[in-house]
Amino acid sequence: MLKFLSGFLCCLLLAINGFSQETSEHELLMEGITRAKLGAFEEAITIFTSVIAINPDEPEPYYNRGIAYSAIKNDKLAIADFSRAIGLKASQPEPYFNRAISKDILGDHKGSILDYGLAISMKPDYVEAFINRGLVFYDLKSFREAAMDFTRALLLKPGNAQAFYNRGLAYFGMDDYLFAISDFNHAIENDSLTPDYYASRGAAKAAAGFYQDAILDFEVVIKYRPFDIDPCLNEALAELYLKDYPAALKLYSRVIEIDPSNAEAYVNRGVTKQYLNDNEGACSDWKEASGIGSEKADAYLKKYCP
């Protein structure tokens, strides 16, 4: 199963409530925010640095410079700026939230979870923080904790498709395929245009043994993404389980047309050909896969091919 996770990166630059500036500093700060919103992050950083030089005791320019640093993927400097903003004013949830994102990107998952928790303690209805913390728990394979956070997000925002989707992934991680399918259904009811939702529902249906229903979902994904090999591979495997070998053969051939170096497709197309009593074709595919580096193909060649 492919994991489709996308966090809520709340990185909009803003004037945090309660922060105060002199008029000239405020105008300069707003210029930096405008530059950042236009994507000129380096220019924005220079402007925020100028504001800090004028008054190093205001947290807002540090916070916004941290956002700009995170936008250019300099998360170490982003964390440093978010920490400065927190040190100057510790009662705002946004710096904790964004520092949590940067910590997660740098692999500090425990620190990220702690910061999301602090943001939530200040803003108990922080839906994005619950979802993001759930994603961190998911990455740590703490699926139950992840599901609990996604459930909290849904209590606050019942129609949140991403929360349903991510909770479905957490249930999948716990092998609770029926619960996963139910959540993927809800995600699709609230957002019917996201192919990932169909892909994951198809994977859950296949894992639960509902191969024909899974195929219908994979076909939706293929319609949206005709050159994506993963739904083709997943649908082909479901066809194999249903013993529809011609359909599986067609799908594996399609994958090979898209990606001629896909060893998995050659191996499984060879298996499919063997079921169709085409031993010569099967051995030919396994030789191709072996040349790409497939150990499974080597084993098949040794066992079935002269």
Side-chain angles (χ1 to χ4, degrees):
M1 174 188 174
L2 291 178
K3 186 179 74 172
F4 300 101
L5 296 176
S6 58
F8 280 94
L9 304 182
C10 276
C11 290
L12 294 177
L13 287 92
L14 47 85
I16 300 179
N17 294 332
F19 289 175
S20 62
Q21 305 87 23
E22 296 295 332
T23 302
S24 59
E25 293 171 33
H26 179 74
E27 291 175 353
L28 195 57
L29 179 72
M30 294 310 296
E31 182 183 348
I33 291 173
T34 300
R35 297 287 181 88
K37 286 182 176 179
L38 293 173
F41 298 112
E42 297 285 359
E43 293 179 20
I45 288 168
T46 299
I47 294 171
F48 295 139
T49 301
S50 297
V51 178
I52 290 168
I54 296 169
N55 186 351
D57 297 324
E58 282 289 348
E60 195 170 5
Y62 289 109
Y63 169 75
N64 284 291
R65 192 174 67 176
I67 295 294
Y69 276 132
S70 66
I72 62 173
K73 303 185 185 305
N74 193 332
D75 289 286
K76 288 184 178 180
L77 289 181
I79 288 171
D81 271 348
F82 295 140
S83 297
R84 291 188 185 101
I86 290 167
L88 291 166
K89 190 176 182 68
S91 60
Q92 295 290 340
E94 288 85 359
Y96 294 98
F97 178 87
N98 285 285
R99 189 173 69 175
I101 294 173
S102 289
K103 284 183 177 180
D104 184 37
I105 290 171
L106 293 179
D108 181 8
H109 303 305
K110 290 183 179 180
S112 178
I113 289 170
L114 177 62
D115 272 349
Y116 283 130
L118 290 168
I120 290 166
S121 70
M122 299 172 194
K123 186 179 178 181
D125 62 346
Y126 211 153
V127 173
E128 294 83 2
F130 281 116
I131 291 178
N132 270 18
R133 190 174 68 176
L135 294 174
V136 180
F137 278 129
Y138 184 96
D139 285 340
L140 294 173
K141 301 190 184 302
S142 299
F143 299 124
R144 293 190 185 279
E145 288 84 353
M148 289 173 62
D149 268 349
F150 299 137
T151 298
R152 293 185 184 103
L154 286 166
L155 290 172
L156 294 166
K157 193 173 182 180
N160 191 304
Q162 190 177 27
F164 275 121
Y165 172 66
N166 286 317
R167 191 174 68 175
L169 291 176
Y171 281 133
F172 193 106
M174 292 186 278
D175 299 329
D176 289 338
Y177 303 124
L178 296 182
F179 280 108
I181 292 168
S182 176
D183 271 351
F184 295 142
N185 286 340
H186 288 305
I188 290 168
E189 287 170 6
N190 287 280
D191 176 6
S192 62
L193 299 178
T194 300
D196 294 348
Y197 298 169
Y198 295 94
S200 293
R201 187 175 69 174
K205 287 178 177 177
F210 307 136
Y211 300 116
Q212 193 61 57
D213 286 344
I215 286 169
L216 295 176
D217 276 339
F218 296 139
E219 287 180 348
V220 171
V221 185
I222 291 170
K223 180 180 178 181
Y224 277 106
R225 298 173 176 168
F227 298 104
D228 187 347
I229 63 173
D230 291 309
C232 291
L233 288 171
N234 288 335
E235 183 180 343
L237 190 59
E239 297 286 9
L240 276 180
Y241 280 115
L242 291 172
K243 299 182 180 180
D244 189 344
Y245 303 124
L249 181 67
K250 183 178 179 180
L251 285 161
Y252 285 127
S253 296
R254 176 175 181 165
V255 171
I256 291 167
E257 288 178 6
I258 297 170
D259 178 12
S261 63
N262 192 292
E264 179 184 356
Y266 279 111
V267 169
N268 287 341
R269 190 174 72 170
V271 172
T272 305
K273 287 179 178 178
Q274 188 180 52
Y275 279 122
L276 291 169
N277 297 316
D278 180 8
N279 291 328
E280 182 178 350
C283 290
S284 176
D285 275 347
W286 292 331
K287 287 178 182 176
E288 288 286 347
S290 177
I292 298 169
S294 170
E295 294 181 0
K296 184 181 290 187
D298 291 339
Y300 284 145
L301 286 169
K302 184 176 181 180
K303 185 173 182 179
Y304 297 111
C305 302

